[in-house]
Amino acid sequence: SHSLVHEVRPGELLHLGAPHDSGLELTHAGDLLLVAGGTGLAPLRALTEQVAAAPEGRRVTLIVGTRTFTDLYDAIALDTLQQAHDWLRIVPAFSADPEAPPAEQGTAIALATYHHRPGQHVHACGPPAMLAAARRWLSTADVPADHQHLPTIGQR
């Protein structure tokens, strides 16, 4: 986090909690397509765990983008989460791993275009370039504005 690295000083009191104005709160019903890149996995995993705690019966597809298999963060926890819930499908997206199966090769956004189903709410969180690609894809895919959920912090 840029803020934690560059704005917080030793000795300052730091409060951690739910993100504000992130665009990533679950305020709707329906199935979800979650698209994570880098540290964007943390809030989307939290949304997945929120779905797990609710009795609503949504289906969730979580696309986890990374360069290579060795870069995949928290793979064991993700596998455990997927094994515990039949409504959850986790799809890794390897942008630079020639050893990955063909169905897992590509960017998180490229795989999201394949896995998207009409009616899903799409949440994306990750680096700025990935979010820019997500915004372009969402507009060309005719995903309704009220089904698009991307971080708003730092947007201009």
Side-chain angles (χ1 to χ4, degrees):
S1 166
H2 182 273
S3 296
L4 288 176
V5 171
H6 298 288
E7 296 174 21
V8 177
R9 301 287 175 238
E12 286 185 332
L13 184 59
L14 178 65
H15 295 276
L16 297 177
H20 295 282
D21 297 327
S22 67
L24 295 171
E25 296 83 19
L26 284 182
T27 59
H28 52 78
D31 292 345
L32 305 173
L33 176 61
L34 309 178
V35 187
T39 58
L41 175 59
L44 296 183
R45 183 173 156 199
L47 289 182
T48 303
E49 291 170 350
Q50 185 178 345
V51 171
E56 293 151 356
R58 308 174 184 219
R59 304 218 41 88
V60 177
T61 301
L62 172 58
I63 312 273
V64 181
T66 186
R67 291 181 35 78
T68 65
F69 179 78
T70 56
D71 295 330
L72 184 59
Y73 173 73
D74 216 7
I76 293 171
L78 290 173
D79 186 55
T80 301
L81 190 61
Q82 181 172 251
Q83 295 299 323
H85 304 290
D86 62 353
W87 47 261
L88 174 62
R89 180 170 184 216
I90 297 177
V91 179
F94 301 112
S95 62
D97 194 336
E99 302 297 318
E104 297 175 356
Q105 289 183 2
T107 65
I109 299 303
L111 269 68
T113 63
Y114 176 76
H115 288 279
H116 177 255
R117 300 294 175 259
Q120 285 178 318
H121 282 259
V122 180
H123 292 256
C125 193
M130 187 197 98
L131 293 176
R135 285 184 179 87
R136 286 190 306 273
W137 165 63
L138 290 166
S139 64
T140 61
D142 293 325
V143 175
D146 65 337
H147 282 57
Q148 299 178 26
H149 310 276
L150 286 81
T152 55
I153 293 175
Q155 297 303 306
R156 297 173 198 235

